[in-house]
Amino acid sequence: MANLYCSKGHQNPSGSKFCLQCGEKILEKPVSSGIQPGLTLGDRYVIVRQLGQGGFGRTYLAEDSNRFREACVLKEFSPQVQTPYVVQKAEELFQREASVLYKLQHPQIPRFRELLRINLEGKECLFLVQDYIEGQTYNSLLNSRKQQGLRFTEIEIRQLLQQLLPVLEYIHSVGVIHRDISPDNLMLRAVDQLPVLIDFGGVKQVAATVASQYYQTGMNSSPSNGTLLGKVGFAPPEQMQTGAVFPHSDLYALAVTVLVLLTGKQPQELIDTHNLNWQWRREVNVSPELGQILDKMLSARASDRYQTPRQVLEALNPQIANHPLTQPPGNYPPSPTPTPRPVPTSETVAVSPPKNPAPQPVITPTPQTASIWTGTNVFIVTLALFASAGLLWWGFNNQKRGIGESNSLVTSSPTPSVSKSPENLDNYSPEERERKQKLSDRRQQLDIDFNYYVSLVNQIFWEKNPSLKGRTLSNGADDESLRKEWDQTASQVLEKLSALSSNSRRLLGTYTSAERDRWKVEVNKINVGSRSLYDLGDAAFLKEFPEYKGKDFLTQPIGQVWHGFVSDKLNAILSNSAFEKIVFPEGEIGKTVSGTLPPGGGKVFIAGLAKDQNLEVKIDASSQILLSIYSPSGKVTLLEDSQQRTVSKTLPEKGFYEFVVVSTASKPVDYQLTVTAENPPEPEPTETPTETPTEEPTPTETPIQ
């Protein structure tokens, strides 16, 4: 029999009277029919089921038939109050959420896909399409715990704050305020146990807010004070009164969310509504440090609060005060927890290790919390583990590095000389100690694996000094100049690695051929070949490491850096920032696209063309823009990394042709690409011969599909 679902989308077995996850009563028949499962919208999105319904409209789980039936969410714009002002205002807010989501690229924010307009049964409908997050809201998690007499623990709350504050730091850095943080708008993602921030712009409240304004004003014009968004009790007073929002507004709402998770009480039960003082301490006991942090986040006066997420993080972890937060990736769709790093079996070290900071305490999560080994929190934990990594340095100092997986990072070097003991660090001058400490801080900030970092710098250092390959530099004065050169090399390498996304940096040392196979599958889904992907990765990699052009380096430590750049370009293609489909306007035989490529940048265009069409391609750009053209099967290369500005070809195949432009310039460069495809002319009619025609020969060549 069919499964039953509550209004929040939780699945329950047939015959259930109440939701097994949140306790909500399950109705035998849905309140409203909505769009029926199985219907395809926009020739692409197949409706699976309705996830929920509110004043704004319905939310549906769908499958994207253009991406191998990948799950996604469709949010329908259908406000309950259908007046001209309400419709106009709600659509304005809906468009705003779409524009906000479009520019946000973070692994803990659902990726925006498109704004879909369709005609459904004679009615114009608007849908926001974004990634589907498999998991539960924190409100649902709290309700499940309350049924067992449980609440969230302080350790879990600290973990949540450490994982979510960097997300707020990111959105605030790009000028976005969430404005509606609450347990309903936080989800615990099942695949990696990370909190995910959803519903930017207050989607669930739009229609109710607009309708309220409409009835208060009694007219079809917008109120002078603008649109007020935010949940009562969660949003700070000034936000609800004036609509004004700042970074500290989100911090206030986050603190209220924390109190709700800790106490199981709603905000109205925890605040004195007369003087707006929070009375939460009678409900739960927490450490004095966390209590003071929450009180400051909840200050009635905005000026008394923490002003940035960074300040809250520093209060939670004073040891990170001198370390800037790692920036999130520019284009990074949600993904499972990364594969653990292989344990090195050997290590060749070219220099003595930097002086290590004192060990810091590590917070151990409870089973319900997310793992501390996550993208947003790994930097904090790395501070604590760096001392241990430094001690491991000495254990590996006499060995050679090797990772026991085929086609992964492989290094080979002679056995080094006798290892050195940690106390020899005292031989370093104050200047050298300071230099090594800065390198240590920078590596941790970039979240790069310690052992991989040493292998990479060793490789580059030895390539500059081949006579020293395999030699371990001593702590004495004789090798002081060489140690300085190694440190300078390390500094340069770290700055070049900063061009990678944080996720790619974190995975350096773990990429394998299996990862490349996965990337091929991903781009093939959108009719892009791996060669186009690699062209983009090559351009970005060679911008930072031009000395490796034409060399075979995939199995060397530097090969991992190439993998990191390719991984970032994959995400850029999948998010459409480095990918575009060329569609000729109706009745026309060509189209021109243009743009600006940053240094090392690139973009892939595809166009569906027919066999035997006459293709003409023209690119207006400097010779530093290279052009490649690949056939649908990949068997024919029309152009590759070429400075040729025009090309004319008769197409050998039917399908999607790929046009790749990459920049080798040191500054941004404009380009204009024109693609024209004409059908071959019809053969002119000939007179019928008077003699009896002979039988036509059977063609022997099989056409390419």
Side-chain angles (χ1 to χ4, degrees):
M1 298 181 68
N3 291 320
L4 298 177
Y5 299 90
C6 70
S7 65
K8 298 180 179 63
H10 300 146
Q11 181 176 307
N12 296 274
S14 177
S16 300
K17 300 296 183 182
F18 297 90
C19 177
L20 299 180
Q21 296 189 44
C22 66
E24 176 185 301
K25 185 176 181 180
I26 298 177
L27 301 177
E28 294 183 2
K29 295 182 179 180
V31 176
S32 58
S33 57
I35 301 175
Q36 296 303 309
L39 185 64
T40 301
L41 303 184
D43 296 324
R44 177 172 183 174
Y45 302 104
V46 182
I47 300 299
V48 177
R49 59 182 170 87
Q50 183 174 318
L51 292 175
Q53 180 174 348
F56 182 86
R58 301 180 183 91
T59 301
Y60 298 94
L61 174 64
E63 293 179 343
D64 187 346
S65 60
N66 283 12
R67 298 194 61 170
F68 290 78
R69 306 190 76 84
E70 186 177 67
C72 58
V73 169
L74 272 63
K75 292 184 178 179
E76 178 187 15
F77 163 52
S78 181
Q80 294 176 352
V81 183
Q82 295 288 335
T83 67
Y85 166 69
V86 169
V87 172
Q88 181 270 328
K89 190 64 175 177
E91 183 169 359
E92 173 189 320
L93 295 174
F94 192 92
Q95 292 274 10
R96 183 182 67 190
E97 166 148 346
S99 66
V100 168
L101 285 175
Y102 181 77
K103 68 180 180 179
L104 294 177
Q105 298 290 335
H106 193 284
Q108 287 169 260
I109 297 172
R111 182 180 51 181
F112 170 74
R113 298 193 179 197
E114 67 170 309
L115 202 56
L116 178 67
R117 292 178 179 272
I118 62 171
N119 187 293
L120 193 61
E121 298 179 350
K123 177 184 175 183
E124 289 295 323
C125 297
L126 190 65
F127 293 87
L128 184 150
V129 187
Q130 64 186 101
D131 281 348
Y132 172 64
I133 305 300
E134 181 70 37
Q136 297 184 61
T137 67
Y138 275 78
N139 188 50
S140 177
L141 292 170
L142 177 62
N143 288 334
S144 297
R145 294 194 180 193
K146 287 168 66 176
Q147 292 178 7
Q148 306 172 48
L150 302 174
R151 307 291 186 269
F152 280 76
T153 67
E154 177 173 346
I155 291 179
E156 292 175 307
I157 291 302
R158 284 179 173 269
Q159 190 74 25
L160 173 63
L161 290 172
Q162 290 169 350
Q163 292 173 329
L164 195 61
L165 285 166
V167 185
L168 296 182
E169 175 88 351
Y170 165 67
I171 68 171
H172 294 167
S173 71
V174 295
V176 174
I177 310 297
H178 187 280
R179 307 201 301 171
D180 196 19
I181 295 176
S182 70
D184 274 329
N185 288 340
L186 288 178
M187 291 191 69
L188 183 65
R189 188 163 53 202
V191 70
D192 55 11
Q193 295 294 289
L194 277 175
V196 177
L197 196 55
I198 63 174
D199 279 356
F200 282 76
V203 168
K204 295 180 180 178
Q205 289 187 269
V206 169
T209 302
V210 172
S212 173
Q213 292 177 353
Y214 172 76
Y215 291 126
Q216 289 174 7
T217 58
M219 60 184 72
N220 292 335
S221 60
S222 177
S224 60
N225 66 340
T227 302
L228 304 179
L229 290 178
K231 285 186 176 64
V232 175
F234 288 91
E238 71 277 2
Q239 179 178 336
M240 299 307 299
Q241 294 167 5
T242 67
V245 291
F246 305 92
H248 59 70
S249 307
D250 281 347
L251 298 179
Y252 183 100
L254 178 58
V256 178
T257 298
V258 163
L259 292 186
V260 171
L261 297 177
L262 282 170
T263 65
K265 304 284 186 180
Q266 290 303 304
Q268 295 81 356
E269 302 175 81
L270 300 173
I271 191 172
D272 186 332
T273 55
H274 296 290
N275 55 25
L276 300 182
N277 288 331
W278 289 90
Q279 308 291 332
W280 60 270
R281 291 181 182 273
R282 61 192 177 192
E283 301 290 341
V284 64
N285 291 321
V286 298
S287 66
E289 295 80 8
L290 180 60
Q292 292 172 6
I293 291 171
L294 294 176
D295 285 339
K296 187 167 183 176
M297 295 172 73
L298 293 167
S299 295
R301 292 177 54 184
S303 60
D304 291 340
R305 301 174 197 150
Y306 296 107
Q307 300 300 300
T308 66
R310 176 61 187 271
Q311 292 175 348
V312 184
L313 270 174
E314 290 178 356
L316 285 167
N317 302 278
Q319 64 267 29
I320 72 167
N322 296 323
H323 299 274
L325 291 177
T326 302
Q327 290 298 316
N331 295 292
Y332 175 62
S335 62
T337 304
T339 305
R341 301 185 189 278
V343 177
T345 58
S346 60
E347 175 72 54
T348 299
V349 180
V351 296
S352 300
K355 186 176 177 63
N356 299 316
Q360 300 296 339
V362 179
I363 298 173
T364 303
T366 60
Q368 289 96 347
T369 61
S371 169
I372 58 176
W373 302 103
T374 57
T376 55
N377 197 39
V378 70
F379 162 68
I380 299 169
V381 179
T382 305
L383 289 173
L385 297 183
F386 182 72
S388 298
L391 294 176
L392 288 175
W393 174 299
W394 309 110
F396 295 130
N397 204 25
N398 276 331
Q399 303 172 355
K400 294 184 292 182
R401 178 180 175 85
I403 295 179
E405 184 173 357
S406 62
N407 297 320
S408 62
L409 171 63
V410 177
T411 61
S412 178
S413 58
T415 303
S417 58
V418 180
S419 62
K420 297 162 285 298
S421 58
E423 55 267 20
N424 288 336
L425 288 173
D426 295 337
N427 295 333
Y428 290 158
S429 67
E431 177 186 358
E432 185 169 359
R433 289 182 184 178
E434 181 181 1
R435 187 175 70 235
K436 292 185 183 298
Q437 185 62 58
K438 287 181 179 179
L439 285 175
S440 170
D441 293 344
R442 183 60 170 155
R443 181 193 64 78
Q444 291 181 79
Q445 177 195 349
L446 294 176
D447 193 14
I448 297 170
D449 176 64
F450 176 77
N451 291 324
Y452 169 73
Y453 156 76
V454 172
S455 296
L456 177 62
V457 179
N458 280 352
Q459 177 188 346
I460 297 175
F461 176 77
W462 284 332
E463 288 172 351
K464 294 178 180 178
N465 302 276
S467 63
L468 298 175
K469 187 171 184 179
R471 174 186 165 188
T472 300
L473 304 182
S474 70
N475 289 344
D478 292 344
D479 285 341
E480 184 175 358
S481 62
L482 291 176
R483 292 198 306 271
K484 183 176 182 179
E485 182 181 349
W486 195 97
D487 290 348
Q488 290 172 342
T489 300
S491 178
Q492 294 167 0
V493 168
L494 288 174
E495 289 313 303
K496 291 181 178 183
L497 295 183
S498 67
L500 291 169
S501 70
S502 61
N503 187 66
S504 293
R505 291 195 301 266
R506 189 169 62 249
L507 294 177
L508 290 174
T510 70
Y511 291 111
T512 68
S513 59
E515 194 72 6
R516 297 196 298 272
D517 292 339
R518 185 184 69 81
W519 294 341
K520 292 178 184 178
V521 172
E522 289 295 315
V523 292
N524 288 168
K525 291 178 183 178
I526 57 173
N527 300 302
V528 174
S530 59
R531 284 197 296 180
S532 296
L533 170 63
Y534 294 163
D535 283 349
L536 267 58
D538 286 346
F541 171 76
L542 293 176
K543 171 186 173 292
E544 303 296 339
F545 298 92
E547 64 271 23
Y548 289 98
K549 184 175 182 179
K551 295 183 179 180
D552 182 10
F553 53 75
L554 279 188
T555 58
Q556 300 171 3
I558 192 67
Q560 292 287 297
V561 180
W562 178 86
H563 282 80
F565 278 110
V566 174
S567 177
D568 283 346
K569 293 304 178 182
L570 169 70
N571 293 324
I573 290 174
L574 296 181
S575 66
N576 294 327
S577 64
F579 171 74
E580 183 176 338
K581 186 176 181 180
I582 296 177
V583 179
F584 297 163
E586 187 174 356
E588 299 186 19
I589 60 172
K591 185 175 181 179
T592 298
V593 292
S594 59
T596 302
L597 294 180
K603 191 165 185 176
V604 179
F605 299 89
I606 65 170
L609 304 174
K611 183 183 178 183
D612 294 331
Q613 281 187 313
N614 297 319
L615 173 70
E616 290 191 6
V617 180
K618 179 181 179 182
I619 183 167
D620 292 325
S622 76
S623 60
Q624 293 173 307
I625 296 290
L626 305 182
L627 174 64
S628 300
I629 306 175
Y630 303 120
S631 70
S633 67
K635 297 178 180 178
V636 180
T637 299
L638 281 69
L639 218 59
E640 186 170 21
D641 291 337
S642 176
Q643 295 180 340
Q644 187 174 332
R645 304 295 87 176
T646 60
V647 61
S648 298
K649 297 283 185 179
T650 299
L651 298 182
E653 304 176 22
K654 175 184 177 181
F656 284 99
Y657 283 77
E658 302 165 55
F659 306 85
V660 187
V661 290
V662 298
S663 174
T664 61
S666 58
K667 60 182 180 180
V669 180
D670 296 331
Y671 69 91
Q672 182 173 286
L673 178 69
T674 302
V675 178
T676 304
E678 291 186 276
N679 292 326
E682 295 290 338
E684 295 183 3
T686 58
E687 293 184 6
T688 304
T690 56
E691 67 269 23
T692 303
T694 58
E695 184 179 352
E696 293 186 5
T698 303
T700 58
E701 182 179 354
T702 303
I704 299 174
Q705 299 298 318

mmCIF file with all atom_site columns, all heavy atoms in Angstrom, residues 341-355:
data_model
loop_
_atom_site.group_PDB
_atom_site.id
_atom_site.type_symbol
_atom_site.label_atom_id
_atom_site.label_alt_id
_atom_site.label_comp_id
_atom_site.label_asym_id
_atom_site.label_entity_id
_atom_site.label_seq_id
_atom_site.pdbx_PDB_ins_code
_atom_site.Cartn_x
_atom_site.Cartn_y
_atom_site.Cartn_z
_atom_site.occupancy
_atom_site.B_iso_or_equiv
_atom_site.pdbx_formal_charge
_atom_site.auth_seq_id
_atom_site.auth_comp_id
_atom_site.auth_asym_id
_atom_site.auth_atom_id
_atom_site.pdbx_PDB_model_num
ATOM 1   N N   . ARG A 1 341 ? 41.477 10.896 4.375  1.00 0.00 ? 341 ARG A N   1
ATOM 2   C CA  . ARG A 1 341 ? 42.806 10.908 3.782  1.00 0.00 ? 341 ARG A CA  1
ATOM 3   C C   . ARG A 1 341 ? 43.491 9.560  3.997  1.00 0.00 ? 341 ARG A C   1
ATOM 4   O O   . ARG A 1 341 ? 43.420 8.969  5.060  1.00 0.00 ? 341 ARG A O   1
ATOM 5   C CB  . ARG A 1 341 ? 43.675 12.001 4.436  1.00 0.00 ? 341 ARG A CB  1
ATOM 6   C CG  . ARG A 1 341 ? 43.106 13.392 4.296  1.00 0.00 ? 341 ARG A CG  1
ATOM 7   C CD  . ARG A 1 341 ? 44.102 14.381 4.868  1.00 0.00 ? 341 ARG A CD  1
ATOM 8   N NE  . ARG A 1 341 ? 43.542 15.709 4.963  1.00 0.00 ? 341 ARG A NE  1
ATOM 9   C CZ  . ARG A 1 341 ? 43.478 16.560 3.958  1.00 0.00 ? 341 ARG A CZ  1
ATOM 10  N NH1 . ARG A 1 341 ? 43.940 16.213 2.796  1.00 0.00 ? 341 ARG A NH1 1
ATOM 11  N NH2 . ARG A 1 341 ? 42.952 17.762 4.112  1.00 0.00 ? 341 ARG A NH2 1
ATOM 12  N N   . PRO A 1 342 ? 44.188 9.049  2.982  1.00 0.00 ? 342 PRO A N   1
ATOM 13  C CA  . PRO A 1 342 ? 44.956 7.821  3.181  1.00 0.00 ? 342 PRO A CA  1
ATOM 14  C C   . PRO A 1 342 ? 46.055 8.049  4.212  1.00 0.00 ? 342 PRO A C   1
ATOM 15  O O   . PRO A 1 342 ? 46.642 9.124  4.281  1.00 0.00 ? 342 PRO A O   1
ATOM 16  C CB  . PRO A 1 342 ? 45.549 7.554  1.791  1.00 0.00 ? 342 PRO A CB  1
ATOM 17  C CG  . PRO A 1 342 ? 44.730 8.386  0.837  1.00 0.00 ? 342 PRO A CG  1
ATOM 18  C CD  . PRO A 1 342 ? 44.249 9.554  1.635  1.00 0.00 ? 342 PRO A CD  1
ATOM 19  N N   . VAL A 1 343 ? 46.320 7.030  4.993  1.00 0.00 ? 343 VAL A N   1
ATOM 20  C CA  . VAL A 1 343 ? 47.372 7.145  5.996  1.00 0.00 ? 343 VAL A CA  1
ATOM 21  C C   . VAL A 1 343 ? 48.719 6.960  5.318  1.00 0.00 ? 343 VAL A C   1
ATOM 22  O O   . VAL A 1 343 ? 48.952 5.947  4.654  1.00 0.00 ? 343 VAL A O   1
ATOM 23  C CB  . VAL A 1 343 ? 47.195 6.079  7.093  1.00 0.00 ? 343 VAL A CB  1
ATOM 24  C CG1 . VAL A 1 343 ? 48.327 6.158  8.100  1.00 0.00 ? 343 VAL A CG1 1
ATOM 25  C CG2 . VAL A 1 343 ? 45.853 6.260  7.777  1.00 0.00 ? 343 VAL A CG2 1
ATOM 26  N N   . PRO A 1 344 ? 49.623 7.927  5.409  1.00 0.00 ? 344 PRO A N   1
ATOM 27  C CA  . PRO A 1 344 ? 50.913 7.785  4.736  1.00 0.00 ? 344 PRO A CA  1
ATOM 28  C C   . PRO A 1 344 ? 51.739 6.680  5.369  1.00 0.00 ? 344 PRO A C   1
ATOM 29  O O   . PRO A 1 344 ? 51.794 6.543  6.585  1.00 0.00 ? 344 PRO A O   1
ATOM 30  C CB  . PRO A 1 344 ? 51.562 9.154  4.935  1.00 0.00 ? 344 PRO A CB  1
ATOM 31  C CG  . PRO A 1 344 ? 50.918 9.714  6.156  1.00 0.00 ? 344 PRO A CG  1
ATOM 32  C CD  . PRO A 1 344 ? 49.522 9.180  6.171  1.00 0.00 ? 344 PRO A CD  1
ATOM 33  N N   . THR A 1 345 ? 52.371 5.902  4.518  1.00 0.00 ? 345 THR A N   1
ATOM 34  C CA  . THR A 1 345 ? 53.228 4.828  5.033  1.00 0.00 ? 345 THR A CA  1
ATOM 35  C C   . THR A 1 345 ? 54.670 5.266  5.147  1.00 0.00 ? 345 THR A C   1
ATOM 36  O O   . THR A 1 345 ? 55.473 4.594  5.761  1.00 0.00 ? 345 THR A O   1
ATOM 37  C CB  . THR A 1 345 ? 53.146 3.614  4.107  1.00 0.00 ? 345 THR A CB  1
ATOM 38  O OG1 . THR A 1 345 ? 53.550 4.008  2.786  1.00 0.00 ? 345 THR A OG1 1
ATOM 39  C CG2 . THR A 1 345 ? 51.722 3.082  4.054  1.00 0.00 ? 345 THR A CG2 1
ATOM 40  N N   . SER A 1 346 ? 55.016 6.375  4.496  1.00 0.00 ? 346 SER A N   1
ATOM 41  C CA  . SER A 1 346 ? 56.377 6.869  4.580  1.00 0.00 ? 346 SER A CA  1
ATOM 42  C C   . SER A 1 346 ? 56.401 8.341  4.260  1.00 0.00 ? 346 SER A C   1
ATOM 43  O O   . SER A 1 346 ? 55.462 8.889  3.745  1.00 0.00 ? 346 SER A O   1
ATOM 44  C CB  . SER A 1 346 ? 57.278 6.103  3.612  1.00 0.00 ? 346 SER A CB  1
ATOM 45  O OG  . SER A 1 346 ? 56.804 6.262  2.292  1.00 0.00 ? 346 SER A OG  1
ATOM 46  N N   . GLU A 1 347 ? 57.513 8.998  4.549  1.00 0.00 ? 347 GLU A N   1
ATOM 47  C CA  . GLU A 1 347 ? 57.614 10.448 4.366  1.00 0.00 ? 347 GLU A CA  1
ATOM 48  C C   . GLU A 1 347 ? 59.057 10.843 4.183  1.00 0.00 ? 347 GLU A C   1
ATOM 49  O O   . GLU A 1 347 ? 59.936 10.382 4.892  1.00 0.00 ? 347 GLU A O   1
ATOM 50  C CB  . GLU A 1 347 ? 57.054 11.156 5.605  1.00 0.00 ? 347 GLU A CB  1
ATOM 51  C CG  . GLU A 1 347 ? 57.224 12.652 5.580  1.00 0.00 ? 347 GLU A CG  1
ATOM 52  C CD  . GLU A 1 347 ? 56.291 13.287 4.577  1.00 0.00 ? 347 GLU A CD  1
ATOM 53  O OE1 . GLU A 1 347 ? 55.098 13.022 4.668  1.00 0.00 ? 347 GLU A OE1 1
ATOM 54  O OE2 . GLU A 1 347 ? 56.778 14.024 3.714  1.00 0.00 ? 347 GLU A OE2 1
ATOM 55  N N   . THR A 1 348 ? 59.313 11.640 3.176  1.00 0.00 ? 348 THR A N   1
ATOM 56  C CA  . THR A 1 348 ? 60.621 12.233 2.994  1.00 0.00 ? 348 THR A CA  1
ATOM 57  C C   . THR A 1 348 ? 60.500 13.715 3.258  1.00 0.00 ? 348 THR A C   1
ATOM 58  O O   . THR A 1 348 ? 59.739 14.389 2.590  1.00 0.00 ? 348 THR A O   1
ATOM 59  C CB  . THR A 1 348 ? 61.144 11.991 1.571  1.00 0.00 ? 348 THR A CB  1
ATOM 60  O OG1 . THR A 1 348 ? 61.266 10.594 1.368  1.00 0.00 ? 348 THR A OG1 1
ATOM 61  C CG2 . THR A 1 348 ? 62.495 12.646 1.377  1.00 0.00 ? 348 THR A CG2 1
ATOM 62  N N   . VAL A 1 349 ? 61.208 14.216 4.230  1.00 0.00 ? 349 VAL A N   1
ATOM 63  C CA  . VAL A 1 349 ? 61.081 15.608 4.637  1.00 0.00 ? 349 VAL A CA  1
ATOM 64  C C   . VAL A 1 349 ? 62.331 16.370 4.241  1.00 0.00 ? 349 VAL A C   1
ATOM 65  O O   . VAL A 1 349 ? 63.440 15.938 4.536  1.00 0.00 ? 349 VAL A O   1
ATOM 66  C CB  . VAL A 1 349 ? 60.854 15.712 6.157  1.00 0.00 ? 349 VAL A CB  1
ATOM 67  C CG1 . VAL A 1 349 ? 60.712 17.152 6.573  1.00 0.00 ? 349 VAL A CG1 1
ATOM 68  C CG2 . VAL A 1 349 ? 59.616 14.927 6.541  1.00 0.00 ? 349 VAL A CG2 1
ATOM 69  N N   . ALA A 1 350 ? 62.160 17.498 3.599  1.00 0.00 ? 350 ALA A N   1
ATOM 70  C CA  . ALA A 1 350 ? 63.314 18.259 3.140  1.00 0.00 ? 350 ALA A CA  1
ATOM 71  C C   . ALA A 1 350 ? 63.843 19.187 4.207  1.00 0.00 ? 350 ALA A C   1
ATOM 72  O O   . ALA A 1 350 ? 64.991 19.587 4.166  1.00 0.00 ? 350 ALA A O   1
ATOM 73  C CB  . ALA A 1 350 ? 62.950 19.069 1.901  1.00 0.00 ? 350 ALA A CB  1
ATOM 74  N N   . VAL A 1 351 ? 62.993 19.585 5.156  1.00 0.00 ? 351 VAL A N   1
ATOM 75  C CA  . VAL A 1 351 ? 63.430 20.522 6.182  1.00 0.00 ? 351 VAL A CA  1
ATOM 76  C C   . VAL A 1 351 ? 62.853 20.123 7.518  1.00 0.00 ? 351 VAL A C   1
ATOM 77  O O   . VAL A 1 351 ? 61.945 19.316 7.610  1.00 0.00 ? 351 VAL A O   1
ATOM 78  C CB  . VAL A 1 351 ? 62.977 21.968 5.861  1.00 0.00 ? 351 VAL A CB  1
ATOM 79  C CG1 . VAL A 1 351 ? 63.619 22.470 4.605  1.00 0.00 ? 351 VAL A CG1 1
ATOM 80  C CG2 . VAL A 1 351 ? 61.480 22.046 5.768  1.00 0.00 ? 351 VAL A CG2 1
ATOM 81  N N   . SER A 1 352 ? 63.364 20.745 8.549  1.00 0.00 ? 352 SER A N   1
ATOM 82  C CA  . SER A 1 352 ? 62.814 20.525 9.877  1.00 0.00 ? 352 SER A CA  1
ATOM 83  C C   . SER A 1 352 ? 61.459 21.203 9.977  1.00 0.00 ? 352 SER A C   1
ATOM 84  O O   . SER A 1 352 ? 61.189 22.169 9.284  1.00 0.00 ? 352 SER A O   1
ATOM 85  C CB  . SER A 1 352 ? 63.761 21.111 10.930 1.00 0.00 ? 352 SER A CB  1
ATOM 86  O OG  . SER A 1 352 ? 65.030 20.492 10.836 1.00 0.00 ? 352 SER A OG  1
ATOM 87  N N   . PRO A 1 353 ? 60.571 20.688 10.843 1.00 0.00 ? 353 PRO A N   1
ATOM 88  C CA  . PRO A 1 353 ? 59.207 21.224 10.920 1.00 0.00 ? 353 PRO A CA  1
ATOM 89  C C   . PRO A 1 353 ? 59.166 22.583 11.592 1.00 0.00 ? 353 PRO A C   1
ATOM 90  O O   . PRO A 1 353 ? 60.075 22.949 12.326 1.00 0.00 ? 353 PRO A O   1
ATOM 91  C CB  . PRO A 1 353 ? 58.485 20.176 11.773 1.00 0.00 ? 353 PRO A CB  1
ATOM 92  C CG  . PRO A 1 353 ? 59.563 19.634 12.653 1.00 0.00 ? 353 PRO A CG  1
ATOM 93  C CD  . PRO A 1 353 ? 60.801 19.610 11.797 1.00 0.00 ? 353 PRO A CD  1
ATOM 94  N N   . PRO A 1 354 ? 58.079 23.342 11.341 1.00 0.00 ? 354 PRO A N   1
ATOM 95  C CA  . PRO A 1 354 ? 57.913 24.614 12.039 1.00 0.00 ? 354 PRO A CA  1
ATOM 96  C C   . PRO A 1 354 ? 57.569 24.380 13.497 1.00 0.00 ? 354 PRO A C   1
ATOM 97  O O   . PRO A 1 354 ? 57.144 23.302 13.887 1.00 0.00 ? 354 PRO A O   1
ATOM 98  C CB  . PRO A 1 354 ? 56.729 25.269 11.298 1.00 0.00 ? 354 PRO A CB  1
ATOM 99  C CG  . PRO A 1 354 ? 55.950 24.103 10.775 1.00 0.00 ? 354 PRO A CG  1
ATOM 100 C CD  . PRO A 1 354 ? 56.975 23.055 10.433 1.00 0.00 ? 354 PRO A CD  1
ATOM 101 N N   . LYS A 1 355 ? 57.744 25.409 14.287 1.00 0.00 ? 355 LYS A N   1
ATOM 102 C CA  . LYS A 1 355 ? 57.393 25.322 15.705 1.00 0.00 ? 355 LYS A CA  1
ATOM 103 C C   . LYS A 1 355 ? 55.885 25.222 15.814 1.00 0.00 ? 355 LYS A C   1
ATOM 104 O O   . LYS A 1 355 ? 55.148 25.947 15.159 1.00 0.00 ? 355 LYS A O   1
ATOM 105 C CB  . LYS A 1 355 ? 57.888 26.567 16.440 1.00 0.00 ? 355 LYS A CB  1
ATOM 106 C CG  . LYS A 1 355 ? 57.683 26.494 17.958 1.00 0.00 ? 355 LYS A CG  1
ATOM 107 C CD  . LYS A 1 355 ? 58.289 27.721 18.627 1.00 0.00 ? 355 LYS A CD  1
ATOM 108 C CE  . LYS A 1 355 ? 58.056 27.729 20.122 1.00 0.00 ? 355 LYS A CE  1
ATOM 109 N NZ  . LYS A 1 355 ? 58.696 26.611 20.791 1.00 0.00 ? 355 LYS A NZ  1
#
